[in-house]
Structure formats: C-alpha cells, structure tokens
Amino acid sequence: MNTIHKSRRSFLKTAGAAALGSTLPISLIELAFADTAENFTFAYISDAHIQHIEGTRFVRNWDRGLIRAVAETNLLVPKPDFVFFGGDLAQLGTKAELDHGAEIMSALRYKVHYVMGEHDYYLDLGDYWEQLFGAQYYSFNHKGVHFIVLNSIRTYDDWTFNRWPSNEQRMLEMAGLDNPNGSPFMVGEEQRNWLKSDLSKVAKTTPIVVLSHSPLQKIFKGWNFWTEDAEEIQALLKPFDKVSVIYGHVHQIQYNQIGNISFNSVMATAWPWPYPQSYAQAEQYLPKLTVPMNRADPFFERDATGWQFINTSNGNVDLHYTLYNNTARSVIYNTKTKQPEDSAYQSEDARIPPQTHF
Amino acid sequence: MKLKPIKAILLLPLALTFAMPIASADEFTDADLERWQQQFMGVVQQGRGLWTSPELGTNGVACAQCHPNAANTHPETYPKFQKQLGKVVPMWEMINWCLKNPLEGQPLDADDPKMTAIQAYVTHERRGVKLEPGKH
Ligand SMILES: [Fe+2]
Ligand SMILES: [Fe+2]
C-alpha cells in the first residue's frame, strides 16, 4: 500500500503545478475567441461542498477542488464576463463553511453570481448565505441575454418547518443525497409568481438563460435529480424562442432538450456522483441524449471533477468541460438538430468503453 | 449517526441457538428462514449506518457522499484485476483503500464485523444484478 501513497503524492504535486501554471487546454482558449460580436463567455464553478472538520480544519480534498477551479478560471484569456457559482458551496451550511468557501472564491478576479444549493440552505434557510452573496433569486440582463437565477431546492413547508427537532437535524437529513427522509426539491409558488411577472417584461425573442441548482426536469427522484414543479416552470418558459437551463447538484455531465428548452448540467469541484442507472434498484430517466462522462477513477482524486467555460453563441449556450484526468468534453448546441450535442462522442459508434455506466 | 455496538447484535443469534432444541442438519422451517433473513437484514442495516457515518474515517467524510445507495461500487465484479493496484483483489481491499484515502481513516481487518456489515449493505443494494467476476 505504500506505493499508492507515493504515487498519490506525486500526482498531487503535478496537479498543484498545473493549477499555478500554464497548462489550460488550448481548445478552451481558442473557443473564447468566438468571433460574433454578440457572443460572450462566462465561467461556471459548482458544488464545492466545503466541509468543516473542526477548528480551522476543513476536508483537504474538497478545498483543493475549489482552489484549483478558481486558480484556473483566473487564467482564462480573454477574460469571461462573469462567473456563476452553482450552489453547494458548503456541506452543512455553517458559517465556518460558507466563510471558508467565500474566502477561496474571493480570489476570483471577476464578478460572481451565486445560486443556492441545498447544502447551503437547510441550516438557516439561506440567512447567512444572503448576507454574503445577496438575494436567493433574481434576474439581470447582459448583452441582450436575460439571466434568471432561481432557488430550486426548496421543498414542502411541512417538511421544512414542522418535521425536525432542530435546524441542524434538518440540514443533516437533506444533506444525505440518498436519505429516504429527504424531500423533493421545488421552486415553489412564491418564486413561480415572481418568475411569471419577471418574464412578462421580456420580449419573446430575447434569449433566456435560467440558473438553478437542481435540474428543472425530472430524472431520478431518489437522489433529487428532480424538481417537483419542473413542468410548471417549463410551461412558463415555453413561449420564448431560446431558453437554456444550466444546473448543478448532479455532479456529472447531463444534457437534454425538451421543446424549446435546452438543459445542461455542470460538474462539481468536489466529487463526481454515479449516474442514476448505476443504482440497480432505481427507476430513473437519464435523458437519452446524454453521453455520460467517463467512469471516475478514485485513485485520481480530481478525476471527473472540474469546472466549465460557457460560450453563448447568439443566445444558445455551449459548455466546455475541463476534465482534469480525461480528455476535455464540449457540449454544443446544434442549430440544425436544435439540441445540445457532444462535439466528439454524440454518435453511437463514437462512444468509448469508460462511458458505459453499470 | 451513532451505531449500536455490533458485537452485541452478532452474539444474539448464538444465544438463541443454544436456547432451542437441536435440529437435524437439513431440517429447517419457514420460521428459520425468516429469522435468518432478519439476521442478515440487521447486519445490512448496520452496514448502512456505517456507510452514512461521518465517524468511520477521521475527516467527517462518509462513504455515501460519493456512493449514494452504494452505487458505483460494483460488488458483483469482485474479485477483479484492480488496475490501480496492479493485481486481483477482493472487494474489502478496495473498501480499505477508500477508508484510508478519501476518509483519511484506518483500514479494517478483513473479518472485522464492520467490514462484514459494509459488504452486506453494498451487496444488498446490488441485489438482482448478475455476478460478473473480473469485469471492469
Ligand atoms: Fe452538490
Ligand atoms: Fe446539491
């Protein structure tokens, strides 16, 4: 077993050097020069799960993931217009975790917009998070695109307010992804009403990008790859020409097209999650369109984690995934087929064995 | 989650055996089958407790954080050639690798009741999947 520890150390040294140095994949940098004047780029970092041990100690592995993503995002040339953080900055929503996460994020040299994750929320229902990062849901316009951020990880009031003896217990129950005591995520009526009125001021031809933590589609309820009122949100977005939803939470690459709405997920900086089909007892609906990422190799602790660089070409989003120990992936909106597609692996005969999950 | 001491639970079936009349080797009843299944499920529950426990390692990380419902553990493929270790290993060696690395903890003996419980849980979550030893 000593040999493993040695090789692990040398890998970490290499990874550390990469984070400080000059090794961003070339393709990423070229894509940043997309030529149309309306195009712009932004970066997306998500699911850091900063985890407090005690005192000043935090789980090193998750810290390294976020530190690396921040360092690499700062190296982007040309600079992205802004960065999104997709939720689950903390593991158990404590001040210590949110502060530590915010401190790592503060090294970013760009404006950051935050999305709420369940691990940030269920201790104090977003109280401290709001003090650090602002409103739980909001919208803004940027270069002709309307951005909407939702808190999609709320749930039934009875579960939130009446079920648990303490806030800490409530947080622990929701933090277990596969915990049968959990409760399905939802946007809820308050935000749906807000969304309706927000959208009423937007022209139907304006490209819309919605950022949520959970998928605004139903994939697998058992792990909350799910939003209970997804259909109602989709109906509100239906009248618009170009809609993209980008979500975190699933710690893996997923994409789908439902009518006019493109769905793309982002990876975690902390750890990858299994695809739902690898749980033999599950009924799940991973979008057929999705070509899964490679099965993770746990001996490379950053494998299957990373961050993404997003190109908005004329209102559609193209996601470029930095995979630290695998070939980078790009999921690009295909204007002919009108759906997101992987630039290398979309066709059945282009798939490779590590993409088979079982 | 706090666990009940595993030793006490494992001793229980032994105590029951002594209290009952001695049966022939190949005679057992529906009640026996039910009891044995309960014994097994009790250990599965212990395993689930360990799987979600922040106290198995030293850094608060639990197995379930990366492996919800023990997914992506593939007990049906062991023993197999574990490319990262360069040899054929049984599942418990990989479990110990996880205990030492992501959980920053101590490995368990192969016959530690906790190791038995973890494997019972992982295998139970994988029930119904055909055996494919050696598959990567
Ligand atoms: Fe997450
Ligand atoms: Fe999440």
Side-chain angles (χ1 to χ4, degrees):
Chain A
M1 287 292 167
N2 277 335
T3 53
I4 299 162
H5 284 291
K6 258 182 227 149
S7 69
R8 215 167 142 257
R9 259 203 300 275
S10 72
F11 166 72
L12 286 175
K13 237 162 81 185
T14 320
L20 293 171
S22 54
T23 52
L24 266 190
I26 290 297
S27 63
L28 263 178
I29 293 164
E30 283 177 349
L31 282 158
F33 287 105
D35 49 13
T36 311
E38 292 162 40
N39 289 2
F40 63 94
T41 60
F42 58 99
Y44 207 120
I45 301 174
S46 195
D47 291 271
H49 289 266
I50 296 303
Q51 188 170 352
H52 191 209
I53 303 169
E54 61 181 348
T56 57
R57 289 175 65 223
F58 292 83
V59 174
R60 182 197 53 78
N61 191 337
W62 319 147
D63 271 16
R64 296 310 310 168
L66 184 58
I67 289 166
R68 180 168 179 176
V70 165
E72 293 190 352
T73 303
N74 276 338
L75 294 175
L76 279 170
V77 178
K79 294 183 190 314
D81 285 18
F82 48 80
V83 177
F84 270 106
F85 186 84
D88 289 352
L89 181 61
Q91 172 66 11
L92 293 175
T94 61
K95 278 188 182 177
E97 290 176 349
L98 290 168
D99 280 340
H100 188 60
E103 190 181 345
I104 296 172
M105 289 294 287
S106 72
L108 277 171
R109 297 186 201 119
Y110 318 103
K111 161 97 184 137
V112 185
H113 301 283
Y114 284 85
V115 181
M116 181 79 78
E118 81 277 20
H119 289 264
D120 307 317
Y121 183 71
Y122 279 96
L123 183 62
D124 64 1
L125 306 182
D127 219 34
Y128 191 59
W129 188 97
E130 279 180 18
Q131 290 176 41
L132 291 174
F133 307 125
Q136 297 186 20
Y137 56 93
Y138 53 95
S139 67
F140 62 92
N141 296 307
H142 184 78
K143 294 185 180 170
V145 176
H146 188 64
F147 284 87
I148 298 168
V149 174
L150 296 173
N151 175 351
S152 68
I153 54 76
R154 290 179 176 171
T155 192
Y156 296 103
D157 282 350
D158 193 48
W159 191 95
T160 305
F161 296 107
N162 304 331
R163 181 116 180 240
W164 305 108
S166 69
N167 296 345
E168 287 74 18
Q169 178 76 15
R170 177 176 65 196
M171 180 67 256
L172 278 172
E173 298 289 348
M174 197 55 108
L177 188 74
D178 60 357
N179 182 4
N181 295 332
S183 188
F185 292 153
M186 65 180 68
V187 172
E189 199 183 350
E190 171 200 328
Q191 282 182 88
R192 288 201 309 273
N193 289 337
W194 171 83
L195 179 60
K196 203 183 286 178
S197 104
D198 184 76
L199 288 171
S200 71
K201 297 165 227 153
V202 180
K204 300 292 181 279
T205 50
T206 302
I208 291 177
V209 179
V210 181
L211 299 309
S212 59
H213 183 68
S214 60
L216 298 177
Q217 57 178 336
K218 291 174 170 170
I219 295 171
F220 176 39
K221 196 170 189 176
W223 298 345
N224 254 329
F225 291 9
W226 187 274
T227 304
E228 195 85 330
D229 48 0
E231 289 89 348
E232 286 161 270
I233 308 289
Q234 290 171 21
L236 292 173
L237 296 168
K238 200 169 180 171
F240 294 85
D241 292 347
K242 285 177 185 171
V243 183
S244 307
V245 172
I246 306 174
Y247 57 92
H249 183 66
V250 297
H251 299 203
Q252 63 192 231
I253 295 175
Q254 298 178 349
Y255 51 96
N256 197 16
Q257 183 76 31
I258 301 176
N260 61 323
I261 309 174
S262 306
F263 293 85
N264 287 95
S265 69
V266 293
M267 298 184 297
T269 63
W271 68 81
W273 261 327
Y275 279 90
Q277 64 262 42
S278 55
Y279 182 35
Q281 318 304 328
E283 187 185 355
Q284 55 85 29
Y285 314 93
L286 184 76
K288 283 209 169 61
L289 199 55
T290 296
V291 177
M293 53 208 282
N294 291 1
R295 279 165 53 203
D297 182 342
F299 286 60
F300 292 83
E301 73 177 8
R302 290 271 71 72
D303 189 30
T305 71
W307 57 281
Q308 27 293 299
F309 173 81
I310 301 176
N311 194 48
T312 66
S313 54
N314 303 316
N316 295 115
V317 297
D318 301 332
L319 276 78
H320 306 283
Y321 295 92
T322 59
L323 285 156
Y324 298 136
N325 305 107
N326 288 160
T327 311
R329 294 260 313 256
S330 289
V331 176
I332 312 279
Y333 186 81
N334 182 332
T335 50
K336 290 198 184 74
T337 57
K338 296 191 187 319
Q339 61 185 22
E341 291 175 359
D342 189 280
S343 60
Y345 302 109
Q346 194 62 42
S347 83
E348 286 288 346
D349 51 14
R351 313 276 168 101
I352 55 173
Q355 293 166 348
T356 302
H357 293 250
F358 61 92
Chain B
M1 181 188 292
K2 270 280 178 202
L3 292 169
K4 288 178 209 152
I6 283 187
K7 264 183 193 148
I9 294 210
L10 290 181
L11 287 174
L12 199 65
L14 219 62
L16 284 174
T17 311
F18 289 132
M20 288 191 307
I22 295 160
S24 303
D26 59 352
E27 286 176 16
F28 51 85
T29 63
D30 285 345
D32 289 325
L33 290 172
E34 199 179 312
R35 185 167 55 81
W36 297 338
Q37 182 64 20
Q38 275 170 11
Q39 291 299 322
F40 172 68
M41 286 311 295
V43 175
V44 167
Q45 283 311 312
Q46 293 287 323
R48 169 72 187 173
L50 292 161
W51 198 256
T52 54
S53 168
E55 281 152 38
L56 198 55
T58 64
N59 59 3
V61 174
C63 304
Q65 257 172 269
C66 292
H67 298 282
N69 293 110
N72 256 356
T73 54
H74 303 124
E76 80 282 9
T77 65
Y78 287 90
K80 75 171 163 202
F81 183 77
Q82 195 73 50
K83 70 179 171 89
Q84 305 95 334
L85 299 174
K87 61 176 182 175
V88 173
V89 295
M91 175 158 223
W92 62 265
E93 286 199 37
M94 265 311 289
I95 292 172
N96 274 340
W97 184 87
C98 282
L99 292 182
K100 285 191 287 186
N101 291 282
L103 271 63
E104 300 179 48
Q106 292 302 313
L108 296 168
D109 287 338
D111 62 350
D112 187 308
K114 286 183 180 174
M115 182 59 88
T116 304
I118 290 170
Q119 289 177 96
Y121 168 66
V122 165
T123 311
H124 178 71
E125 286 281 34
R126 203 61 177 157
R127 64 198 180 277
V129 177
K130 71 172 177 176
L131 280 175
E132 286 194 275
K135 180 179 179 179
H136 181 77

PDB file of all heavy atoms in Angstrom, chain A residues 47 49 87-88 118-119 213 249-251 268 271 273, ligand 1:
ATOM      1  N   ASP A  47     -20.737  23.219  -6.805  1.00  0.00           N
ATOM      2  CA  ASP A  47     -20.680  22.069  -5.898  1.00  0.00           C
ATOM      3  C   ASP A  47     -19.299  21.838  -5.293  1.00  0.00           C
ATOM      4  O   ASP A  47     -18.671  20.813  -5.521  1.00  0.00           O
ATOM      5  CB  ASP A  47     -21.196  20.821  -6.630  1.00  0.00           C
ATOM      6  CG  ASP A  47     -22.696  20.919  -6.894  1.00  0.00           C
ATOM      7  OD1 ASP A  47     -23.486  20.494  -6.030  1.00  0.00           O
ATOM      8  OD2 ASP A  47     -23.081  21.467  -7.954  1.00  0.00           O
ATOM      9  N   HIS A  49     -18.789  21.945  -1.887  1.00  0.00           N
ATOM     10  CA  HIS A  49     -19.013  21.150  -0.673  1.00  0.00           C
ATOM     11  C   HIS A  49     -17.930  21.327   0.384  1.00  0.00           C
ATOM     12  O   HIS A  49     -17.477  20.345   0.988  1.00  0.00           O
ATOM     13  CB  HIS A  49     -19.183  19.662  -1.024  1.00  0.00           C
ATOM     14  CG  HIS A  49     -20.475  19.374  -1.721  1.00  0.00           C
ATOM     15  ND1 HIS A  49     -21.597  18.963  -1.052  1.00  0.00           N
ATOM     16  CD2 HIS A  49     -20.829  19.478  -3.025  1.00  0.00           C
ATOM     17  CE1 HIS A  49     -22.592  18.806  -1.929  1.00  0.00           C
ATOM     18  NE2 HIS A  49     -22.153  19.118  -3.124  1.00  0.00           N
ATOM     19  N   GLY A  87     -24.039  26.555  -6.557  1.00  0.00           N
ATOM     20  CA  GLY A  87     -24.673  26.045  -5.337  1.00  0.00           C
ATOM     21  C   GLY A  87     -23.892  24.912  -4.689  1.00  0.00           C
ATOM     22  O   GLY A  87     -23.001  24.320  -5.284  1.00  0.00           O
ATOM     23  N   ASP A  88     -24.254  24.613  -3.414  1.00  0.00           N
ATOM     24  CA  ASP A  88     -23.498  23.670  -2.584  1.00  0.00           C
ATOM     25  C   ASP A  88     -22.057  24.146  -2.395  1.00  0.00           C
ATOM     26  O   ASP A  88     -21.102  23.401  -2.614  1.00  0.00           O
ATOM     27  CB  ASP A  88     -23.531  22.232  -3.139  1.00  0.00           C
ATOM     28  CG  ASP A  88     -24.892  21.557  -2.993  1.00  0.00           C
ATOM     29  OD1 ASP A  88     -25.773  22.131  -2.323  1.00  0.00           O
ATOM     30  OD2 ASP A  88     -25.074  20.462  -3.547  1.00  0.00           O
ATOM     31  N   GLU A 118     -28.847  23.006  -1.793  1.00  0.00           N
ATOM     32  CA  GLU A 118     -29.485  22.525  -0.562  1.00  0.00           C
ATOM     33  C   GLU A 118     -28.494  22.470   0.602  1.00  0.00           C
ATOM     34  O   GLU A 118     -28.885  22.656   1.753  1.00  0.00           O
ATOM     35  CB  GLU A 118     -30.167  21.163  -0.786  1.00  0.00           C
ATOM     36  CG  GLU A 118     -29.287  19.914  -0.741  1.00  0.00           C
ATOM     37  CD  GLU A 118     -28.570  19.635  -2.069  1.00  0.00           C
ATOM     38  OE1 GLU A 118     -28.435  20.560  -2.898  1.00  0.00           O
ATOM     39  OE2 GLU A 118     -28.124  18.478  -2.265  1.00  0.00           O
ATOM     40  N   HIS A 119     -27.231  22.232   0.327  1.00  0.00           N
ATOM     41  CA  HIS A 119     -26.232  22.177   1.402  1.00  0.00           C
ATOM     42  C   HIS A 119     -25.926  23.561   1.977  1.00  0.00           C
ATOM     43  O   HIS A 119     -25.326  23.674   3.040  1.00  0.00           O
ATOM     44  CB  HIS A 119     -24.935  21.528   0.904  1.00  0.00           C
ATOM     45  CG  HIS A 119     -25.054  20.054   0.656  1.00  0.00           C
ATOM     46  ND1 HIS A 119     -24.692  19.110   1.581  1.00  0.00           N
ATOM     47  CD2 HIS A 119     -25.520  19.373  -0.424  1.00  0.00           C
ATOM     48  CE1 HIS A 119     -24.903  17.897   1.075  1.00  0.00           C
ATOM     49  NE2 HIS A 119     -25.417  18.034  -0.133  1.00  0.00           N
ATOM     50  N   HIS A 213     -30.148  25.154  -9.094  1.00  0.00           N
ATOM     51  CA  HIS A 213     -29.251  24.130  -8.549  1.00  0.00           C
ATOM     52  C   HIS A 213     -29.712  22.733  -8.978  1.00  0.00           C
ATOM     53  O   HIS A 213     -28.921  21.922  -9.451  1.00  0.00           O
ATOM     54  CB  HIS A 213     -29.185  24.225  -7.018  1.00  0.00           C
ATOM     55  CG  HIS A 213     -28.221  23.239  -6.426  1.00  0.00           C
ATOM     56  ND1 HIS A 213     -26.854  23.329  -6.619  1.00  0.00           N
ATOM     57  CD2 HIS A 213     -28.409  22.127  -5.672  1.00  0.00           C
ATOM     58  CE1 HIS A 213     -26.255  22.313  -5.994  1.00  0.00           C
ATOM     59  NE2 HIS A 213     -27.171  21.576  -5.415  1.00  0.00           N
ATOM     60  N   HIS A 249     -25.814  20.396  -8.827  1.00  0.00           N
ATOM     61  CA  HIS A 249     -26.356  19.332  -7.978  1.00  0.00           C
ATOM     62  C   HIS A 249     -26.017  17.905  -8.398  1.00  0.00           C
ATOM     63  O   HIS A 249     -25.794  17.050  -7.545  1.00  0.00           O
ATOM     64  CB  HIS A 249     -27.878  19.457  -7.822  1.00  0.00           C
ATOM     65  CG  HIS A 249     -28.469  18.431  -6.919  1.00  0.00           C
ATOM     66  ND1 HIS A 249     -28.187  18.399  -5.570  1.00  0.00           N
ATOM     67  CD2 HIS A 249     -29.278  17.360  -7.161  1.00  0.00           C
ATOM     68  CE1 HIS A 249     -28.823  17.362  -5.024  1.00  0.00           C
ATOM     69  NE2 HIS A 249     -29.482  16.724  -5.958  1.00  0.00           N
ATOM     70  N   VAL A 250     -25.992  17.624  -9.700  1.00  0.00           N
ATOM     71  CA  VAL A 250     -25.855  16.225 -10.116  1.00  0.00           C
ATOM     72  C   VAL A 250     -24.395  15.770 -10.199  1.00  0.00           C
ATOM     73  O   VAL A 250     -24.128  14.566 -10.322  1.00  0.00           O
ATOM     74  CB  VAL A 250     -26.572  15.955 -11.465  1.00  0.00           C
ATOM     75  CG1 VAL A 250     -28.065  16.206 -11.302  1.00  0.00           C
ATOM     76  CG2 VAL A 250     -26.011  16.815 -12.591  1.00  0.00           C
ATOM     77  N   HIS A 251     -23.456  16.699 -10.114  1.00  0.00           N
ATOM     78  CA  HIS A 251     -22.013  16.351 -10.101  1.00  0.00           C
ATOM     79  C   HIS A 251     -21.636  15.480 -11.291  1.00  0.00           C
ATOM     80  O   HIS A 251     -20.853  14.523 -11.150  1.00  0.00           O
ATOM     81  CB  HIS A 251     -21.638  15.613  -8.807  1.00  0.00           C
ATOM     82  CG  HIS A 251     -21.848  16.373  -7.528  1.00  0.00           C
ATOM     83  ND1 HIS A 251     -21.162  16.070  -6.367  1.00  0.00           N
ATOM     84  CD2 HIS A 251     -22.644  17.424  -7.202  1.00  0.00           C
ATOM     85  CE1 HIS A 251     -21.533  16.879  -5.394  1.00  0.00           C
ATOM     86  NE2 HIS A 251     -22.451  17.714  -5.878  1.00  0.00           N
ATOM     87  N   ALA A 268     -19.085  19.028 -10.523  1.00  0.00           N
ATOM     88  CA  ALA A 268     -18.707  19.515  -9.203  1.00  0.00           C
ATOM     89  C   ALA A 268     -17.199  19.727  -9.154  1.00  0.00           C
ATOM     90  O   ALA A 268     -16.458  19.082  -9.897  1.00  0.00           O
ATOM     91  CB  ALA A 268     -19.107  18.496  -8.138  1.00  0.00           C
ATOM     92  N   TRP A 271     -16.566  16.171  -5.815  1.00  0.00           N
ATOM     93  CA  TRP A 271     -16.503  14.753  -6.186  1.00  0.00           C
ATOM     94  C   TRP A 271     -17.598  14.480  -7.202  1.00  0.00           C
ATOM     95  O   TRP A 271     -18.605  15.194  -7.236  1.00  0.00           O
ATOM     96  CB  TRP A 271     -16.675  13.846  -4.956  1.00  0.00           C
ATOM     97  CG  TRP A 271     -18.057  13.913  -4.359  1.00  0.00           C
ATOM     98  CD1 TRP A 271     -19.173  13.260  -4.789  1.00  0.00           C
ATOM     99  CD2 TRP A 271     -18.482  14.704  -3.222  1.00  0.00           C
ATOM    100  NE1 TRP A 271     -20.256  13.588  -3.998  1.00  0.00           N
ATOM    101  CE2 TRP A 271     -19.854  14.466  -3.031  1.00  0.00           C
ATOM    102  CE3 TRP A 271     -17.810  15.574  -2.349  1.00  0.00           C
ATOM    103  CZ2 TRP A 271     -20.592  15.084  -2.014  1.00  0.00           C
ATOM    104  CZ3 TRP A 271     -18.548  16.187  -1.342  1.00  0.00           C
ATOM    105  CH2 TRP A 271     -19.908  15.933  -1.174  1.00  0.00           C
ATOM    106  N   TRP A 273     -20.732  12.224  -8.892  1.00  0.00           N
ATOM    107  CA  TRP A 273     -21.736  11.269  -8.452  1.00  0.00           C
ATOM    108  C   TRP A 273     -21.980  10.225  -9.527  1.00  0.00           C
ATOM    109  O   TRP A 273     -21.827  10.509 -10.726  1.00  0.00           O
ATOM    110  CB  TRP A 273     -23.043  11.994  -8.087  1.00  0.00           C
ATOM    111  CG  TRP A 273     -23.137  12.189  -6.610  1.00  0.00           C
ATOM    112  CD1 TRP A 273     -22.653  11.354  -5.641  1.00  0.00           C
ATOM    113  CD2 TRP A 273     -23.702  13.286  -5.916  1.00  0.00           C
ATOM    114  NE1 TRP A 273     -22.886  11.879  -4.391  1.00  0.00           N
ATOM    115  CE2 TRP A 273     -23.533  13.049  -4.531  1.00  0.00           C
ATOM    116  CE3 TRP A 273     -24.357  14.448  -6.326  1.00  0.00           C
ATOM    117  CZ2 TRP A 273     -23.992  13.925  -3.561  1.00  0.00           C
ATOM    118  CZ3 TRP A 273     -24.805  15.327  -5.362  1.00  0.00           C
ATOM    119  CH2 TRP A 273     -24.631  15.067  -3.990  1.00  0.00           C
TER     120      TRP A 273
HETATM  121 FE    FE C   1     -23.688  19.101  -4.666  1.00  0.00          FE
END
